[in-house]
């Protein structure tokens, strides 16, 4: 049984990961930002512990990690799942919104890693899973900020895997394709249908399919896997 911290566990893929890791017998703390009611419902459903955290701010992450360590004792598995998306033309996105996306989607991963890593290094053991996006791999028109942040997450993952591998820590990135969550609520039906038609497996994905990949990467079955970007995208990008 591992002690698992899931950042951004209140909804969507993160909430499925909370359920899956709990069902597999792991001890889980997850963070939420705005969705307090969803977080409380998930606590009641799974027995996992919610902690509030805004990943945009280093201090908020530091305080949350301290609370998590007081609950779990230590963190064996860190899953950096929190992110926001934005659909704007590059000429129309406000600088403040650009910064919010980079702060949440990229800097947030840095803060989480920075506060969790030291104790993993001293124990010479740990597993970090970041969450990228196929758009971080191939770029998405009208999602330049999100694509840039997610490309950064992929670079961070690969570099960190090299840096901390000798300390017995594995770092991998799960890179979803189009998954049915609130993040895509504003995408119109025709666009979702077109993406599904372009996907070799002819459909969009479910949050559970991404969460199962996280569970695998956190397990001993993935003991020789590090620095990898694992696409969960139905073959939409190959
Ligand atoms: P959702 O929008 O459903 O959930 C996002 C989660 O991130 C929520 O738990 C939310 O918390 C949390 N979060 C957002 N902003 C912050 C913040 N500032 N501080 C802390 N937590 C925050 O997204 P998905 O489940 O769809 O996405 C999960 C991951 O998968 C993301 O990294 C996303 O980029 C990636 N992904 C998703 C794809 C998709 O098609 N859905 C495709 C490719 C990648 P709260 O609600 O409490 O504010």
């Amino acid at each position: 049984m591992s002690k698992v911290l899931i950042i951004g566990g209140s909804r969507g893929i993160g909430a499925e990961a909370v359920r899956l890791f709990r069902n597999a017998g792991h001890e889980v703390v997850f963070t939420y930002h705005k969705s307090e009611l969803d977080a409380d419902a998930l606590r009641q459903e799974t027995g996992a512990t919610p902690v509030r955290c805004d990943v945009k701010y280093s201090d908020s992450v530091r305080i949350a990690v301290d609370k998590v360590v007081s609950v779990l004792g230590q963190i064996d598995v860190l899953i950096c799942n929190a992110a926001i998306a934005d659909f704007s033309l590059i000429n129309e996105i406000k600088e403040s919104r650009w910064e919010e996306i980079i702060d949440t989607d990229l800097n947030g991963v840095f803060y989480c890693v920075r506060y969790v890593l030291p104790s993993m290094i001293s124990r010479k053991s740990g597993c970090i899973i970041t969450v990228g996006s196929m758009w971080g791999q191939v770029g998405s028109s009208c999602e330049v900020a999100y694509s840039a942040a997610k490309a950064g997450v992929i670079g961070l993952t690969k570099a960190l895997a090299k840096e901390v591998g000798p300390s017995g820590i594995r770092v991998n990135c799960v890179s979803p394709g189009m998954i049915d969550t609130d993040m895509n609520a504003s995408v119109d039906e025709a666009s979702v249908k077109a993406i599904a038609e372009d996907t070799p497996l002819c459909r969009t994905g479910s949050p559970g399919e991404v969460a199962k990949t996280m569970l695998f990467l956190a397990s001993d079955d993935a003991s020789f896997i590090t620095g990898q970007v694992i696409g969960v995208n139905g073959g939409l990008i190959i």
Side-chain angles (χ1 to χ4, degrees), residues 57-136:
Y57 301 105
S58 176
D59 275 355
S60 177
V61 175
R62 181 178 50 76
I63 290 163
V65 168
D66 283 350
K67 275 190 201 152
V68 175
V69 171
S70 73
V71 173
L72 292 179
Q74 67 182 49
I75 298 164
D76 303 314
V77 178
L78 167 67
I79 302 181
C80 299
N81 171 75
I84 52 172
D86 182 88
F87 301 89
S88 316
L89 291 169
I90 186 77
N91 286 336
E92 289 175 2
I93 189 168
K94 291 197 168 77
E95 286 185 12
S96 57
R97 181 64 174 156
W98 174 281
E99 282 160 13
E100 186 182 11
I101 290 160
I102 301 295
D103 283 346
T104 307
D105 296 6
L106 178 57
N107 294 343
V109 177
F110 165 58
Y111 301 142
C112 294
V113 165
R114 165 175 243 193
Y115 291 118
V116 170
L117 203 51
S119 69
M120 285 184 171
I121 290 173
S122 56
R123 291 197 313 276
K124 289 211 163 288
S125 156
C127 170
I128 296 174
I129 298 169
T130 61
V131 181
S133 163
M134 66 177 169
W135 302 134

Side-chain angles (χ1 to χ4, degrees), residues 14-90:
E16 275 308 298
V18 171
R19 292 186 182 98
L20 211 61
F21 277 82
R22 283 295 296 142
N23 285 340
H26 300 294
E27 224 176 305
V28 177
V29 176
F30 66 96
T31 73
Y32 66 96
H33 177 217
K34 294 180 177 161
S35 302
E36 189 171 1
L37 291 179
D38 297 84
D40 196 50
L42 195 58
R43 175 187 65 77
Q44 289 182 40
E45 177 193 333
T46 64
T49 305
V51 169
R52 190 171 182 284
C53 169
D54 184 345
V55 294
K56 291 195 294 297
Y57 301 105
S58 176
D59 275 355
S60 177
V61 175
R62 181 178 50 76
I63 290 163
V65 168
D66 283 350
K67 275 190 201 152
V68 175
V69 171
S70 73
V71 173
L72 292 179
Q74 67 182 49
I75 298 164
D76 303 314
V77 178
L78 167 67
I79 302 181
C80 299
N81 171 75
I84 52 172
D86 182 88
F87 301 89
S88 316
L89 291 169
I90 186 77

Side-chain angles (χ1 to χ4, degrees), residues 10-11 13 33-35 54-55 81 146 150 177 179 181 184:
S10 46
R11 292 184 293 112
I13 293 167
H33 177 217
K34 294 180 177 161
S35 302
D54 184 345
V55 294
N81 171 75
Y146 180 76
K150 291 298 187 176
I179 308 296
T181 69
N184 294 317

Side-chain angles (χ1 to χ4, degrees), residues 183-199:
M183 188 169 268
N184 294 317
S186 65
V187 182
D188 63 273
E189 217 172 291
S191 302
V192 175
K193 194 163 171 255
I195 289 178
E197 280 168 5
D198 283 346
T199 302

